[in-house]
Amino acid sequence: MTAQLIDGNALAKQIRAEVATRVAALTAQGRKPGLAVILVGDDPASQVYVKHKVADCEGVGMHSVLDRHPATMSEADLLARVRALNEDPSIHGILVQLPLPKHIDSAKVIGTISPLKDVDGFHVASAGALLIGQPGFKSCTPYGCMKMLEHIGCNPRGKHAVVIGRSNIVGKPMAMLLLQAHATVTICHSATPDLGAFTRQADIVVAAVGKRNMLTADMVKPGAVVIDVGMNRKDDGKLCGDVDFDGVREVASWITPVPGGVGPMTRAMLLVNTLDAAERAA
Ligand code: GUN
């Protein structure tokens, strides 16, 4: 079997078009959705990410603010900036780009964002809401993965989903969303012995580790759906995921490519969350 590709670019484009329509409707009522992106320091990767996020907002007609500060910014000043944005009625979503410089306590900063504007879904209130099945912002990458499953008609109910990785941003919320969708969920991580013994039982595998080729064809059940959240570089500098794509695509039924899979979906779901925040604020 050669797997079908889940085209993240195409699906994200469709989602952005739907968002743009809803943004136009809100804007016509004088309630244009707005996103503030805070960047502290000059980490090159972060600069690229925030540029994309701001451009995405413009592409769907949203208001956006890129709030740049030097790496020397004090924690107190950053907290004051977040509090000011919490009170700003033109801003519905606030995103603080991570990582922050070492002298700043990220948890404290994220915890200062109003949960009503926490479009990254990183606040403990958002994580807690997800855990107990209450409404709240879902973190964008796992939310995008769920949209991809829905798009290909893969209902997790009754399926065995194996999530590899236990980060607060991807692994843990991914497992919770799959559980909410009635999958049987196994979370594997760096201390899991014989990872393949788990992944070979999986109908759905989500790889979110950050290590090249950590999921190979012999570790995948024929017909499984494989979602690759990894973002790594090959020796030649080209982007690749956590999955040995060429091998696994011969075993899986569906697979996401890197690039062009989960990445564009993460960006699209940030727009969805910001739009939802603006609609709720009305
Ligand atoms: N750094 C890398 N990815 C992300 C993300 O999705 N959100 C934030 N805030 N920072 C990041």
Side-chain angles (χ1 to χ4, degrees):
M1 176 188 290
T2 297
Q4 298 189 69
L5 285 193
I6 311 178
D7 184 343
N9 282 322
L11 182 56
K13 188 173 172 188
Q14 193 182 313
I15 290 170
R16 284 197 305 272
E18 290 160 11
V19 167
T21 305
R22 284 164 61 195
V23 168
L26 274 182
T27 304
Q29 298 167 24
R31 291 161 34 209
K32 189 174 188 145
L35 173 71
V37 179
I38 303 180
L39 174 62
V40 183
D42 41 27
D43 176 70
S46 291
Q47 290 188 49
V48 173
Y49 290 142
V50 301
K51 215 165 69 185
H52 284 151
K53 287 168 186 174
V54 168
D56 288 345
C57 286
E58 281 165 15
V60 295
M62 277 186 193
H63 168 57
S64 64
V65 174
L66 175 53
D67 205 45
R68 290 196 64 161
H69 302 277
T72 52
M73 183 187 210
S74 72
E75 183 183 281
D77 284 350
L78 178 55
L79 293 175
R81 187 66 197 124
V82 170
R83 288 192 191 101
L85 290 165
N86 283 342
E87 299 301 320
D88 183 339
S90 73
I91 295 299
H92 306 93
I94 302 170
L95 181 150
V96 179
Q97 187 66 28
L98 302 177
L100 286 167
K102 286 196 171 53
H103 67 279
I104 296 177
D105 180 347
S106 301
K108 203 162 155 186
V109 175
I110 301 299
T112 301
I113 297 172
S114 163
L116 299 173
K117 298 190 177 186
D118 175 39
V119 289
D120 247 340
F122 293 174
H123 193 289
V124 286
S126 304
L130 178 60
L131 187 73
I132 62 173
Q134 286 188 0
F137 291 108
K138 303 175 186 95
S139 84
C140 301
T141 298
Y143 192 9
C145 294
M146 293 303 288
K147 283 281 171 202
M148 290 175 124
L149 292 176
E150 187 187 311
H151 178 69
I152 62 166
C154 174
N155 182 352
R157 177 183 283 271
K159 298 203 167 67
H160 185 192
V162 171
V163 178
I164 318 169
R166 54 175 158 174
S167 71
N168 291 333
I169 299 181
V170 183
K172 285 186 216 168
M174 186 77 237
M176 287 305 121
L177 287 171
L178 287 162
L179 188 61
Q180 218 170 59
H182 313 288
T184 300
V185 181
T186 302
I187 306 175
C188 297
H189 47 78
S190 51
T192 302
D194 195 5
L195 178 62
F198 293 93
T199 56
R200 274 189 288 276
Q201 297 176 37
D203 306 300
I204 301 167
V205 184
V206 181
V209 174
K211 204 167 125 193
R212 235 178 100 186
N213 290 338
M214 50 84 43
L215 190 77
T216 47
D218 58 302
M219 298 165 74
V220 176
K221 179 163 92 173
V225 174
V226 177
I227 310 271
D228 191 351
V229 180
M231 188 77 93
N232 312 298
R233 297 249 171 222
K234 293 186 205 165
D235 297 334
D236 62 7
K238 289 207 177 106
L239 268 185
C240 67
D242 291 347
V243 175
D244 170 22
F245 182 82
D246 292 336
V248 171
R249 76 179 302 186
E250 298 305 326
V251 183
S253 60
W254 290 92
I255 189 168
T256 65
V258 179
V262 174
M265 291 299 295
T266 298
R267 286 166 57 184
M269 300 326 288
L270 176 64
L271 299 174
V272 170
N273 278 347
T274 305
L275 175 61
D276 285 346
E279 286 181 341
R280 275 179 222 157

